[in-house]
């Protein structure tokens, strides 16, 4: 999280008050400004949240540190501006009953709406998704093996993250485009499977201020964005 107290509280309220999965921990990696003060809400629930203030601005590094601090076998990553659907953690956890599954992702929608089915997108596109040929979709109501996991809604076995050396920290911290794609690429190259689960969904509000959307001059933002895009695709050997 970064300078987003109101939206962060809403995310935490879901996990503290709405999530029904019986056993999990909450780790908050806070990269907010030095003078940013935690809302009173945090002090009322501090026994249920492990919050770590850090002075760096690097999403990949924050993910890696969170993994090292985590006690669980499955690590679920969410952003600070999302609204998980009911039973979110349970849906992620259930997918790992299949020992072949290394990672899980699910629907990511900008607003509440129904998920599309086969009749909505067509059988040809469904076959393409199943075969890994079609452009990824995070808005369908059926399971399939995904090409990559969406960063604001993804989980992996902790042992797999460690085996792959964690997330790449060489992306520019302020504009970490495609760090999720690059990690997913390495996972699949190593033989891992990422399963898209329609019941593990959330709304992603994409709040324009705070988070990775730090204020930068347009030219600098574009420079960092293009750098990270080219860096990712060069690592993954993808033509653009």
């Amino acid at each position: 999280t970064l300078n987003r107290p109101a939206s962060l509280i809403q995310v935490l309220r879901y996990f503290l008050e709405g999530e029904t999965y019986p056993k999990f921990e909450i780790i908050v990696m806070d990269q907010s400004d030095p003078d940013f003060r935690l809302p009173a809400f945090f002090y009322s629930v501090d026994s249920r949240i492990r919050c770590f203030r850090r002075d760096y601005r690097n999403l990949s590094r924050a993910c890696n540190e969170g993994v090292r601090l985590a006690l669980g076998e499955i690590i679920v990553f969410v952003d600070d501006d999302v609204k998980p659907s009911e039973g979110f953690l349970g849906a992620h956890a259930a997918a790992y009953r299949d020992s072949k599954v290394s990672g899980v992702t699910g629907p990511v929608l900008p607003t509440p709406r129904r998920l599309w089915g086969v009749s909505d997108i067509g059988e040809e596109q469904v076959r393409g998704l199943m075969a890994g040929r079609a452009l990824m979709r995070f808005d369908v109501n059926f399971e399939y093996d995904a090409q990559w996991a969406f960063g604001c809604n993804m989980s992996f076995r902790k042992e797999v993250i460690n085996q792959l050396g964690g997330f790449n920290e060489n992306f520019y911290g302020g504009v970490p485009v495609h760090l999720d794609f690059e990690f997913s690429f390495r996972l699949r190259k190593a033989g891992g499977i990422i399963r898209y689960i329609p019941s593990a969904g959330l709304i992603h509000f994409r709040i324009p201020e705070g988070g990775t959307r730090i204020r930068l001059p347009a030219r600098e933002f574009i420079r960092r964005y293009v750098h990270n895009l080219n860096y990712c695709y060069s690592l993954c050997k993808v033509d653009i």
Side-chain angles (χ1 to χ4, degrees):
T1 187
L2 198 164
N3 296 350
R4 284 179 176 167
S7 61
L8 175 61
I9 286 174
Q10 293 306 308
V11 177
L12 294 177
R13 284 194 185 280
Y14 167 78
F15 289 110
L16 293 170
E17 302 170 3
E19 178 57 58
T20 56
Y21 192 74
K23 189 175 182 181
F24 63 94
E25 63 177 342
I26 301 172
I27 295 176
V28 176
M29 301 304 300
D30 183 6
Q31 302 175 88
S32 299
D33 293 333
D35 59 351
F36 177 80
R37 295 181 63 84
L38 289 172
F41 169 82
F42 279 87
Y43 300 102
S44 68
V45 296
D46 60 355
S47 64
R48 302 179 62 189
I49 298 174
R50 299 168 65 196
C51 185
F52 299 89
R53 296 294 297 269
R54 294 295 183 260
D55 59 3
Y56 58 78
R57 296 275 178 89
N58 187 309
L59 181 57
S60 298
R61 183 177 174 185
C63 288
N64 286 335
E65 188 171 0
V67 172
R68 289 191 293 269
L69 292 164
L71 304 176
E73 299 174 15
I74 305 300
I75 313 296
V76 182
F77 301 89
V78 298
D79 284 5
D80 60 2
D81 60 345
V82 302
K83 181 180 180 181
S85 59
E86 184 177 355
F88 178 77
L89 289 183
H92 271 267
Y96 290 98
R97 294 172 186 159
D98 183 343
S99 61
K100 299 188 296 295
V101 171
S102 300
V104 173
T105 192
V108 177
L109 302 175
T111 57
R113 68 163 177 81
R114 74 177 182 88
L115 299 176
W116 301 135
V118 175
S119 61
D120 297 303
I121 67 173
E123 293 186 3
E124 182 176 352
Q125 187 170 159
V126 172
R127 287 193 294 270
L129 283 172
M130 296 294 185
R133 298 191 308 269
L135 187 67
M136 276 286 300
R137 297 195 66 132
F138 294 91
D139 62 351
V140 295
N141 65 5
F142 53 86
E143 292 187 17
Y144 67 95
D145 290 346
Q147 299 171 49
W148 56 284
F150 207 121
C152 69
N153 181 6
M154 63 183 184
S155 67
F156 303 100
R157 297 185 190 273
K158 184 176 182 178
E159 63 178 359
V160 171
I161 299 175
N162 291 334
Q163 288 168 1
L164 294 174
F167 295 90
N168 189 326
E169 297 183 11
N170 294 318
F171 290 95
Y172 272 121
V175 191
V177 61
H178 277 18
L179 70 88
D180 46 7
F181 181 92
E182 191 274 336
F183 181 82
S184 298
F185 177 86
R186 282 187 280 134
L187 185 151
R188 294 181 67 242
K189 188 176 180 180
I193 292 175
I194 301 171
R195 186 70 45 79
Y196 170 90
I197 303 294
S199 55
L202 51 71
I203 306 300
H204 188 199
F205 297 108
R206 295 183 177 272
I207 295 176
E209 297 295 329
T212 59
R213 298 170 183 80
I214 59 175
R215 289 183 177 179
L216 289 172
R219 187 169 182 174
E220 176 62 14
F221 178 88
I222 293 172
R223 186 181 73 83
R224 295 188 185 193
Y225 185 96
V226 172
H227 171 277
N228 285 348
L229 196 64
N230 285 322
Y231 176 64
C232 171
Y233 287 169
S234 67
L235 292 176
C236 301
K237 301 296 186 296
V238 176
D239 294 328
I240 58 174

